[in-house]
Protein backbone atom coordinates (compact mmCIF):
# COMPACT_ATOMS: atom_id res chain seq x y z
CA UNK A 1 0.00 0.00 0.00
CA UNK A 2 1.30 3.44 -0.95
CA UNK A 3 1.27 6.31 1.56
CA UNK A 4 1.22 9.83 0.19
CA UNK A 5 1.72 13.18 1.90
CA UNK A 6 0.76 16.69 0.77
CA UNK A 7 2.70 19.61 2.27
CA UNK A 8 1.05 23.03 2.41
CA UNK A 9 2.54 26.46 1.87
CA UNK A 10 3.22 28.79 4.76
CA UNK A 11 6.56 30.60 4.47
CA UNK A 12 8.70 30.04 7.57
CA UNK A 13 5.83 28.04 9.06
CA UNK A 14 6.68 25.42 6.44
CA UNK A 15 9.49 24.33 8.76
CA UNK A 16 6.67 22.58 10.63
CA UNK A 17 6.62 20.00 7.82
CA UNK A 18 10.15 18.96 8.76
CA UNK A 19 9.09 18.24 12.33
CA UNK A 20 6.04 16.34 11.12
CA UNK A 21 8.12 14.21 8.73
CA UNK A 22 10.59 13.43 11.51
CA UNK A 23 7.76 12.29 13.82
CA UNK A 24 6.22 10.15 11.05
CA UNK A 25 9.56 8.48 10.36
CA UNK A 26 9.86 7.59 14.05
CA UNK A 27 6.42 5.97 13.82
CA UNK A 28 7.61 3.82 10.94
CA UNK A 29 5.59 5.64 8.27
CA UNK A 30 7.24 5.25 4.85
CA UNK A 31 6.23 7.85 2.28
CA UNK A 32 5.77 6.63 -1.31
CA UNK A 33 4.52 9.80 -3.05
CA UNK A 34 4.62 13.51 -2.20
CA UNK A 35 3.24 16.88 -3.23
CA UNK A 36 3.99 20.40 -2.07
CA UNK A 37 3.06 24.02 -2.46
CA UNK A 38 5.36 26.98 -1.77
CA UNK A 39 7.39 26.24 1.41
CA UNK A 40 6.02 22.70 1.26
CA UNK A 41 7.60 22.26 -2.16
CA UNK A 42 11.05 23.09 -0.74
CA UNK A 43 10.78 20.55 2.07
CA UNK A 44 9.19 17.94 -0.20
CA UNK A 45 11.84 18.23 -2.91
CA UNK A 46 14.70 17.80 -0.44
CA UNK A 47 12.98 14.90 1.34
CA UNK A 48 12.08 13.22 -1.94
CA UNK A 49 15.72 13.44 -3.01
CA UNK A 50 16.81 11.56 0.10
CA UNK A 51 17.73 14.13 2.75
CA UNK A 52 16.63 13.30 6.29
CA UNK A 53 14.41 15.72 8.27
CA UNK A 54 17.39 16.75 10.41
CA UNK A 55 19.48 17.46 7.31
CA UNK A 56 16.65 19.45 5.74
CA UNK A 57 16.28 21.54 8.89
CA UNK A 58 19.98 22.36 8.81
CA UNK A 59 19.90 23.28 5.12
CA UNK A 60 16.81 25.46 5.38
CA UNK A 61 17.84 27.30 8.54
CA UNK A 62 21.32 28.02 7.20
CA UNK A 63 19.69 29.70 4.20
CA UNK A 64 18.94 33.09 5.75
CA UNK A 65 16.29 35.37 4.28
CA UNK A 66 18.94 37.79 3.04
CA UNK A 67 20.72 35.00 1.18
CA UNK A 68 17.57 33.55 -0.36
CA UNK A 69 16.05 36.77 -1.70
CA UNK A 70 17.62 39.60 -3.63
CA UNK A 71 16.41 43.07 -4.67
CA UNK A 72 14.81 43.07 -8.09
CA UNK A 73 13.25 46.55 -8.35
CA UNK A 74 11.12 45.37 -11.24
CA UNK A 75 7.53 46.36 -11.95
CA UNK A 76 6.27 42.96 -10.91
CA UNK A 77 7.73 42.62 -7.41
CA UNK A 78 10.36 43.74 -4.97
CA UNK A 79 12.53 40.64 -4.66
CA UNK A 80 13.78 37.66 -6.61
CA UNK A 81 14.38 34.17 -5.21
CA UNK A 82 17.71 33.44 -6.87
CA UNK A 83 19.15 32.24 -3.55
CA UNK A 84 16.43 29.60 -3.22
CA UNK A 85 17.10 28.39 -6.73
CA UNK A 86 20.80 28.11 -5.89
CA UNK A 87 19.93 26.07 -2.78
CA UNK A 88 18.04 23.53 -4.90
CA UNK A 89 20.73 23.40 -7.59
CA UNK A 90 23.50 22.93 -5.03
CA UNK A 91 21.78 20.12 -3.16
CA UNK A 92 19.93 18.48 -6.08
CA UNK A 93 22.48 19.04 -8.87
CA UNK A 94 20.59 16.92 -11.41
CA UNK A 95 17.84 19.57 -11.27
CA UNK A 96 15.24 17.15 -12.55
CA UNK A 97 12.21 15.42 -11.04
CA UNK A 98 13.58 12.13 -12.34
CA UNK A 99 16.46 12.35 -9.82
CA UNK A 100 14.06 12.15 -6.87
CA UNK A 101 13.71 8.88 -4.98
CA UNK A 102 10.06 9.63 -4.17
CA UNK A 103 7.67 10.85 -6.90
CA UNK A 104 6.81 14.51 -6.32
CA UNK A 105 4.21 16.94 -7.67
CA UNK A 106 4.56 20.71 -7.15
CA UNK A 107 1.71 23.23 -7.47
CA UNK A 108 2.09 26.76 -8.86
CA UNK A 109 -0.42 29.37 -10.04
CA UNK A 110 -0.31 30.54 -13.66
CA UNK A 111 -1.11 34.23 -13.16
CA UNK A 112 -2.24 35.07 -16.69
CA UNK A 113 -4.81 32.28 -16.94
CA UNK A 114 -5.66 32.14 -13.25
CA UNK A 115 -5.13 28.36 -13.18
CA UNK A 116 -3.15 25.99 -11.00
CA UNK A 117 -0.42 24.01 -12.75
CA UNK A 118 1.13 20.82 -11.41
CA UNK A 119 4.75 19.92 -12.14
CA UNK A 120 6.02 16.35 -11.78
CA UNK A 121 8.56 16.05 -14.61
CA UNK A 122 11.36 18.12 -16.06
CA UNK A 123 13.30 20.93 -14.39
CA UNK A 124 12.90 20.95 -10.62
CA UNK A 125 14.42 24.23 -9.34
CA UNK A 126 12.24 26.54 -11.44
CA UNK A 127 9.13 24.63 -10.40
CA UNK A 128 10.01 25.10 -6.72
CA UNK A 129 10.77 28.80 -7.12
CA UNK A 130 7.55 29.32 -9.10
CA UNK A 131 5.55 27.65 -6.36
CA UNK A 132 7.15 29.91 -3.70
CA UNK A 133 6.76 33.29 -5.43
CA UNK A 134 4.34 35.23 -3.21
CA UNK A 135 2.67 37.91 -5.38
CA UNK A 136 3.89 41.51 -4.98
CA UNK A 137 6.67 40.42 -2.59
CA UNK A 138 8.50 38.31 -5.19
CA UNK A 139 8.76 38.55 -8.94
CA UNK A 140 6.58 36.13 -10.93
CA UNK A 141 8.60 33.30 -12.47
CA UNK A 142 8.68 32.81 -16.23
CA UNK A 143 8.85 29.08 -16.86
CA UNK A 144 7.91 26.91 -19.85
CA UNK A 145 6.38 29.92 -21.59
CA UNK A 146 4.08 30.77 -18.68
CA UNK A 147 4.16 33.19 -15.74
CA UNK A 148 3.82 31.71 -12.26
CA UNK A 149 3.21 32.89 -8.72
CA UNK A 150 2.67 31.11 -5.40
CA UNK A 151 0.74 27.86 -5.74
CA UNK A 152 -1.07 28.51 -2.47
CA UNK A 153 -3.40 30.97 -4.14
CA UNK A 154 -5.31 28.12 -5.79
CA UNK A 155 -4.07 24.93 -4.10
CA UNK A 156 -2.34 25.46 -0.78
CA UNK A 157 -2.58 21.79 0.20
CA UNK A 158 -2.10 19.85 -3.06
CA UNK A 159 -3.92 16.64 -2.18
CA UNK A 160 -6.01 16.30 -5.32
CA UNK A 161 -3.03 15.89 -7.65
CA UNK A 162 -1.72 12.80 -5.83
CA UNK A 163 -4.89 11.33 -4.34
CA UNK A 164 -5.14 8.75 -7.12
CA UNK A 165 -1.43 7.84 -6.78
CA UNK A 166 -1.69 6.58 -3.20
CA UNK A 167 -3.91 4.41 -1.03
CA UNK A 168 -3.54 6.46 2.16
CA UNK A 169 -3.05 10.23 2.09
CA UNK A 170 -1.68 12.44 4.85
CA UNK A 171 -2.19 16.20 4.76
CA UNK A 172 0.51 18.27 6.49
CA UNK A 173 -0.93 21.74 7.02
CA UNK A 174 0.79 24.63 8.82
CA UNK A 175 -1.68 27.45 8.16
CA UNK A 176 -4.54 26.85 10.57
CA UNK A 177 -6.45 30.08 11.29
CA UNK A 178 -7.05 30.86 14.95
CA UNK A 179 -9.95 33.00 16.14
CA UNK A 180 -7.65 35.24 18.12
CA UNK A 181 -5.86 37.92 16.11
CA UNK A 182 -4.05 41.10 17.10
CA UNK A 183 -3.88 43.52 14.14
CA UNK A 184 -0.54 45.04 15.09
CA UNK A 185 0.30 46.51 11.70
CA UNK A 186 -0.60 46.46 8.02
CA UNK A 187 1.84 43.61 7.37
CA UNK A 188 0.01 41.38 9.85
CA UNK A 189 -3.35 42.33 8.37
CA UNK A 190 -2.21 41.51 4.82
CA UNK A 191 -0.78 38.17 5.94
CA UNK A 192 -3.95 37.30 7.85
CA UNK A 193 -6.09 38.27 4.85
CA UNK A 194 -4.09 35.98 2.58
CA UNK A 195 -4.54 33.07 5.00
CA UNK A 196 -8.29 33.64 5.05
CA UNK A 197 -8.40 33.85 1.25
CA UNK A 198 -6.74 30.45 0.80
CA UNK A 199 -8.66 28.82 3.64
CA UNK A 200 -11.48 27.59 1.39
CA UNK A 201 -9.27 25.68 -1.06
CA UNK A 202 -7.34 24.21 1.87
CA UNK A 203 -10.50 22.88 3.53
CA UNK A 204 -11.52 21.17 0.29
CA UNK A 205 -8.09 19.56 0.04
CA UNK A 206 -8.13 18.39 3.67
CA UNK A 207 -11.35 16.51 2.95
CA UNK A 208 -9.42 14.37 0.45
CA UNK A 209 -6.90 13.29 3.09
CA UNK A 210 -7.25 10.23 5.30
CA UNK A 211 -5.42 12.07 8.09
CA UNK A 212 -4.71 15.80 8.38
CA UNK A 213 -1.89 16.93 10.65
CA UNK A 214 -2.29 20.63 11.47
CA UNK A 215 -0.27 21.93 14.44
CA UNK A 216 -2.31 24.63 16.22
CA UNK A 217 -1.41 28.30 16.61
CA UNK A 218 1.02 28.35 13.70
CA UNK A 219 -0.20 31.83 12.82
CA UNK A 220 1.73 33.16 15.81
CA UNK A 221 4.70 32.84 13.45
CA UNK A 222 5.00 35.16 10.46
CA UNK A 223 5.83 34.12 6.91
CA UNK A 224 9.38 35.41 7.38
CA UNK A 225 9.92 34.18 10.96
CA UNK A 226 12.92 32.03 10.04
CA UNK A 227 14.63 33.13 13.25
CA UNK A 228 12.10 31.03 15.18
CA UNK A 229 12.77 27.93 13.09
CA UNK A 230 13.66 25.71 16.03
CA UNK A 231 10.47 26.71 17.84
CA UNK A 232 8.33 25.96 14.77
CA UNK A 233 10.06 22.62 14.22
CA UNK A 234 9.69 21.52 17.84
CA UNK A 235 6.04 22.59 18.06
CA UNK A 236 5.12 20.53 14.98
CA UNK A 237 7.22 17.55 16.02
CA UNK A 238 5.76 17.40 19.54
CA UNK A 239 2.20 17.96 18.30
CA UNK A 240 2.52 15.04 15.88
CA UNK A 241 4.13 12.74 18.47
CA UNK A 242 1.51 13.61 21.09
CA UNK A 243 -1.61 13.44 18.93
CA UNK A 244 -0.90 10.71 16.37
CA UNK A 245 0.10 7.13 17.03
CA UNK A 246 1.41 4.35 14.77
CA UNK A 247 -1.92 2.54 15.17
CA UNK A 248 -3.64 5.32 13.22
CA UNK A 249 -1.57 4.36 10.20
CA UNK A 250 -2.00 0.64 10.82
CA UNK A 251 -4.08 -0.03 7.71
CA UNK A 252 -1.52 1.68 5.54
CA UNK A 253 1.47 0.11 7.26
CA UNK A 254 0.34 -3.51 7.30
CA UNK A 255 -1.56 -3.84 4.03
Amino acid sequence: MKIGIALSGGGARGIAHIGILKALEEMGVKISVMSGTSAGSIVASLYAYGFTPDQIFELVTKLSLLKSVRPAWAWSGLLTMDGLKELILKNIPENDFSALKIPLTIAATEIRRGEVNYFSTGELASAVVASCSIPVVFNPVSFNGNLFVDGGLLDNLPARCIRHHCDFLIGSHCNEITKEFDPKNIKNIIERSLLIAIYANTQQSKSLCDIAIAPPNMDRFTVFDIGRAKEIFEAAYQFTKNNFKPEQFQNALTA
Side-chain angles (χ1 to χ4, degrees), residues 157 159 173 176 201-210 212 214:
L157 183 66
H173 182 229
E176 287 293 289
N201 79 60
T202 303
Q203 289 301 102
Q204 291 176 351
S205 295
K206 284 171 71 175
S207 69
L208 298 175
C209 299
D210 296 292

Side-chain angles (χ1 to χ4, degrees), residues 42-154:
I42 302 173
V43 175
S45 62
L46 293 169
Y47 190 80
Y49 189 67
F51 288 100
T52 68
D54 288 334
Q55 289 171 331
I56 296 170
F57 180 81
E58 185 176 359
L59 286 172
V60 171
T61 53
K62 280 186 176 180
L63 179 74
S64 72
L65 178 62
L66 293 178
K67 289 181 181 178
S68 63
V69 299
R70 297 173 181 167
W73 308 117
W75 65 270
S76 49
L78 300 176
L79 303 166
T80 65
M81 301 193 77
D82 292 343
L84 172 59
K85 188 169 186 176
E86 290 171 8
L87 171 74
I88 300 298
L89 292 175
K90 179 180 179 180
N91 292 285
I92 308 177
E94 298 90 343
N95 190 27
D96 197 281
F97 280 87
S98 63
L100 304 178
K101 297 178 176 66
I102 301 173
L104 170 65
T105 300
I106 291 174
T109 300
E110 211 296 323
I111 193 67
R112 292 193 182 103
R113 299 192 308 274
E115 298 174 354
V116 62
N117 278 35
Y118 298 105
F119 301 100
S120 57
T121 61
E123 184 185 347
L124 178 64
S126 291
V128 172
V129 174
S131 184
C132 292
S133 296
I134 303 171
V136 181
V137 178
F138 298 109
N139 276 341
V141 173
S142 181
F143 181 45
N144 289 345
N146 295 304
L147 196 63
F148 294 100
V149 295
D150 197 305
L153 293 180
L154 294 179

